[in-house]
Every structure is written in C-alpha cells, then in structure tokens.
Amino acid sequence: MGQVTRQYDVIVVGAGPAGSAVAILLAEHGHSVLLLDKAAFPRPKICGEYLSPEASRVLDRLGVLKSVDAAGAVPLRGMRITAPDGTVLEGRYPTEGPYRGYRDHALAIPRLHLDQILVERVKALPVDVRERYRVEDLLLDGGRVVGVRGVGPDGAAFEARSLLVVGADGRQSLVARRLDLMEAHPLRRLALLTYVGGIGDFGDSGEIYVDPPDYAILNPVAPGTVSLSLVVPLEHAAPFSGKLEAFFHARLKQLDHLWPRISAMRPLGPVMALGPLAYRVAPPCHAGVLLVGDAAGFYDPFTGEGIYTALRSAELAAEVTHSALARGDFSRAVLASYWRARREAFRDKERVTRLLQVVIRRRWLANLVARRLARRPDLLSLLMGVIGDFVPPRALLSPQLLLGRRRS
C-alpha cells in the first residue's frame, strides 16, 4: 500500500460485523470508504455466535441474509433455561400478539462464516478493502481525527486520511485506546469457550444453565457442532492462567444440571478465554471519529445481544455519517447525535441485562425468578422477545402483565 495520498470520505478500522455493515451502508450512499483489518478472512473469532431474531432484519438490509441461511445458520426458536434448583424454562420467542420479530427465530452461525460473508459483500461494492493492514495510530489535527497510520502485510508503513474515522476494531480497539476512552467495569467476569460434539439433540432451542456464580451456554452452530461457553468470576480463574483447560473442565463438572448433559462430549477445538468481559467506553472528545460495535463498550453475553448491537450501531453510525458528509460538518457536536441515538436504542435493554445479572448472581433469587416465570408463560414469552431485540423492554412493565392478566 505504501504512502497513501488519496483522501477517503470514511476510514473504517475493523471488518467484523459492525465495520463491514458501516462500510456497506456508506458505500450504498456513494461515499468513498477504506476498510482496514489486521486479519485475513476467513478467520475465527471468540463469540457466542448467536444472532437475535431482529439481527436478521439488519442482515437482510445489508443483502446477506440469504447467504447466511445458505451457509447453514441454525434456526433457534427459543432458549431452554435451567435454574440452580433444576427448574426448566422453555423460553420461546413470541410469534403472536402485538410484537413480532423480523423472523420467528434467532440464528446460530460460526463467526468464521458470518464475518466472511459480510466481507465478501463489502468487496462486491466500490469499497477499498485491505486485509492484514494493522492500524497502529491515529492521525490527529488538533482536536480532530483525520486518518490512521499503521503497517501493511509486507511490513511497510502506511498512512490514510479521511473526513471521518469509524472505530469498529472490537474490545481491544486501538481507536478507543488511542483516544483514552476505555474504562474498567466493576463486573469482572471471564468467558471460556470451545466447540464440542457428541451432546445429542437440541431440537430448535439453545440452552442456558444458571448455577451461581457461573452460567453456561450451549449453542448448536452446525450439525454435530455445539458452541459451549462458561462464564465465571475473573478472580476464580486467575490462579489457573496456565491451566485454563483443566479449570474449564473441572468447573463444568460443578454445574449439577449441565454436566450430565455434556459428560459424553467430544472436544472439537481448543478452549479459548476472553476477559474481563465488561468494560466501558466514553464518547470521544475529538471530532471526526465514531465507535461502533464492541469498540463502543460491552457488558455481558447472557442475553446475547453482541452481534445485534454491532449491526444496529452500524446502522445508526451510517445514518449520522451520511448526514455529516452531506453537511461537511464532522464536529463533536454533530457526531454526538450518534451517541444519543445509540443510548436511546440500547438503554432499556441494558437495564434489563443488568437486572438479569443481579438475578443470576444469587442462587436463591435465580430460583425464585425461575419458578415465577414457570408459572407465567406470558411474562416469559415477553422476556424472550426483549432478549430477541424486538419487544420493547418497557413492555415488561405493563400493568396488565404485572397483574397477571393476558392481553386480549
């Protein structure tokens, strides 16, 4: 690539779901886009690999939903949740009443396939896509971000300039770190993930096992292949940093209702670790920069909104970016409308997620809530719709619902 002199409208750093989605949407508006990623695709990515029902709407908007289906994405019509005392909740996404998802099911697909599909879609558009280009710093002009510099696949340094830089480079975001926006979060958890086989039939549901202080998620991502993730307190795993696989299997055996389900499992890959899971990212003080997806912060994977959040935040960022490009104004004040829209889009769901974290960290409370939900299938259905990103969280506060009256 060498020394770049061309001025782009937008540089997107990171070609995962958020970055690829931004690039697609901006290219469709006719803007010149440079998409950079340090990896070569296809590449594996640590992830729960769950796409909520509403994520399909955005995938369809991006022109890739048919390709995702053709790649073997597994439809999931709900989640089977097992409480510490063995209470089983058959949570199904609502398919009737006032709320319907874009589809009646979620999807499970390896990120290896999903990200490749999105990148190939970007390459079909007039976007300058550069794989194996590592961004190492931002170009600043006073209080404005005006481009990036880094190293290409041949080790040669490069610079690229743009009117706007979008950081879509994940939880280790160079863009966020360079602007000193990353903040620690008090919720300190570690996720351990692997692929296994030999577990048996799942029907059309994923499975969650709550056993405080841990929880585990089984997600069938392909015929005979299950994504198994275990989330534990970070301090419990820290002493075993050199023996995480042994810790992982020992910890699984302590989950009374999970272990009988998976005891005959066959490993299909290594055990991978990700943590601390939760972190905060402050809005930039600089002009000319936005953050999308995990680069803008992450909380916890229990409700599985990561990929949907990435895609939806990309939509919001593309709308604001298109408007800013039309006006020729990339000031912090103009770009702040993205952060307001993002906060409005995810605020109520984040509140539900935080409330659920309070529940699943306390054995007695998890059992109490599970038994209550077992008696209230209407409430459980709405909660599944909230988790699926198509029922507004405030619907859970409906007086008729809280009094136990069904909607007509």
Side-chain angles (χ1 to χ4, degrees), residues 39-114:
F41 290 80
R43 56 96 175 92
K45 189 76 172 178
I46 299 178
C47 179
E49 300 178 324
Y50 160 91
L51 290 82
S52 68
E54 199 61 15
S56 288
R57 179 193 61 78
V58 190
L59 293 177
D60 210 7
R61 167 70 184 84
L62 298 172
V64 299
L65 184 56
K66 290 182 180 179
S67 296
V68 169
D69 289 338
V74 178
L76 298 176
R77 299 188 180 277
M79 299 297 292
R80 185 174 298 108
I81 305 168
T82 302
D85 65 359
T87 300
V88 176
L89 301 174
E90 296 287 350
R92 310 287 285 184
Y93 300 112
T95 58
E96 57 184 26
Y99 305 109
R100 293 290 297 271
Y102 189 77
R103 281 179 157 182
D104 291 337
H105 58 80
L107 293 172
I109 183 173
R111 285 286 299 275
L112 185 75
H113 303 321
L114 174 65

Side-chain angles (χ1 to χ4, degrees), residues 89-350:
L89 301 174
E90 296 287 350
R92 310 287 285 184
Y93 300 112
T95 58
E96 57 184 26
Y99 305 109
R100 293 290 297 271
Y102 189 77
R103 281 179 157 182
D104 291 337
H105 58 80
L107 293 172
I109 183 173
R111 285 286 299 275
L112 185 75
H113 303 321
L114 174 65
D115 291 14
Q116 177 68 14
I117 289 169
L118 284 164
V119 168
E120 290 302 320
R121 169 66 178 145
V122 179
K123 290 178 177 179
L125 297 167
V127 175
D128 191 352
V129 181
R130 306 289 180 115
E131 299 176 49
R132 297 175 60 205
Y133 278 78
R134 181 184 296 274
V135 174
E136 296 186 334
D137 203 357
L138 300 177
L139 302 178
L140 300 176
D141 182 3
R144 179 176 171 182
V145 178
V146 295
V148 300
R149 65 164 57 97
V151 177
D154 58 358
F158 74 89
E159 285 189 1
R161 293 179 175 268
S162 63
L163 301 172
L164 183 75
V165 171
V166 177
D169 45 343
R171 60 187 301 111
Q172 298 298 326
S173 171
L174 178 282
V175 179
R177 286 187 286 113
R178 176 65 177 82
L179 299 177
D180 197 26
L181 303 175
M182 304 286 288
E183 301 173 3
H185 195 286
L187 183 64
R188 306 282 288 174
R189 286 180 169 270
L190 175 80
L192 298 164
L193 305 94
T194 191
Y195 293 108
V196 298
I199 291 184
D201 183 49
F202 278 77
D204 56 4
S205 295
E207 299 179 6
I208 300 177
Y209 294 81
V210 178
D211 200 338
D214 305 345
Y215 66 86
I217 301 174
L218 300 176
N219 201 11
V221 296
T225 301
V226 175
S227 170
L228 167 60
S229 58
L230 175 69
V231 178
V232 302
L234 186 63
E235 64 269 20
H236 291 197
F240 300 91
S241 59
K243 303 177 182 178
L244 279 180
E245 188 157 346
F247 172 80
F248 177 65
H249 289 283
R251 198 75 170 205
L252 290 174
K253 291 178 182 178
Q254 295 179 20
L255 275 67
D256 293 338
H257 303 291
L258 171 67
W259 183 247
R261 175 78 165 106
I262 64 173
S263 59
M265 67 182 179
R266 301 187 311 274
L268 299 178
V271 176
M272 301 169 285
L274 188 66
L277 287 173
Y279 54 93
R280 296 187 177 107
V281 177
C285 295
H286 290 71
V289 63
L290 291 177
L291 298 168
V292 295
D294 287 356
F298 188 80
Y299 183 61
D300 191 83
F302 184 78
T303 50
E305 66 269 8
I307 296 177
Y308 171 73
T309 298
L311 296 172
R312 179 64 183 134
S313 66
E315 282 190 313
L316 297 172
E319 291 170 8
V320 171
T321 300
H322 176 60
S323 176
L325 286 165
R327 297 166 60 180
D329 186 349
F330 310 96
S331 64
R332 180 186 175 193
V334 167
L335 299 181
S337 62
Y338 161 72
W339 293 96
R340 290 192 296 270
R342 189 180 190 280
R343 185 166 55 249
E344 180 66 22
F346 303 128
R347 178 184 55 212
D348 290 345
K349 173 74 176 291
E350 288 173 355

Side-chain angles (χ1 to χ4, degrees), residues 8-13 32-36 135 146-148 160-167:
Y8 295 88
D9 290 335
V10 180
I11 295 173
V12 181
V13 183
S32 62
V33 180
L34 171 64
L35 178 63
L36 301 167
V135 174
V146 295
V148 300
R161 293 179 175 268
S162 63
L163 301 172
L164 183 75
V165 171
V166 177

